[in-house]
Amino acid sequence: QLALAAANEMAQQGLHVRVVSMPCGERFLMQDEDYRNQVLPDTVRTRIAIEAASSAYWYRFVGLDGAVIGLD
């Protein structure tokens, strides 16, 4: 809900934001590479993960140019 609200607010400012829900990272990683690249394209390097628990797990998905908002 928080991510969708932020995306809507940014859209009003003319910024395109795509929200991806990933309830199970392990299941996502089991998908073929083409699917993973469609969901998280390599060309999109500015990524933010929002997690209600530990943030460490999500750094693998946001990369070096991304950020994780979570509770540690």
Side-chain angles (χ1 to χ4, degrees), residues 3 6 10 17-20 44-51 58 61-63 65-69:
M10 294 180 85
V17 175
R18 184 170 167 224
V19 177
V20 174
V44 178
R45 296 179 51 117
T46 305
R47 301 175 181 176
I48 299 172
I50 303 170
E51 173 59 60
W58 296 102
F61 298 108
V62 300
D65 296 324
V68 179
I69 300 168

Side-chain angles (χ1 to χ4, degrees), residues 4-17:
L4 293 174
N8 288 333
E9 189 170 317
M10 294 180 85
Q12 292 175 4
Q13 298 175 22
L15 299 171
H16 176 71
V17 175

Side-chain angles (χ1 to χ4, degrees), residues 22-25 49-51 53-63 67-68:
M22 189 185 302
C24 181
I50 303 170
E51 173 59 60
S54 177
S55 62
Y57 178 80
W58 296 102
Y59 283 99
R60 69 191 308 171
F61 298 108
V62 300
V68 179

Side-chain angles (χ1 to χ4, degrees), residues 25-55:
E26 287 81 13
R27 188 168 204 153
F28 174 76
L29 292 171
M30 289 190 303
Q31 305 304 311
D32 64 60
E33 186 176 0
D34 287 338
Y35 175 80
R36 292 191 317 264
N37 286 333
Q38 286 178 349
V39 175
L40 297 176
D42 290 337
T43 57
V44 178
R45 296 179 51 117
T46 305
R47 301 175 181 176
I48 299 172
I50 303 170
E51 173 59 60
S54 177
S55 62

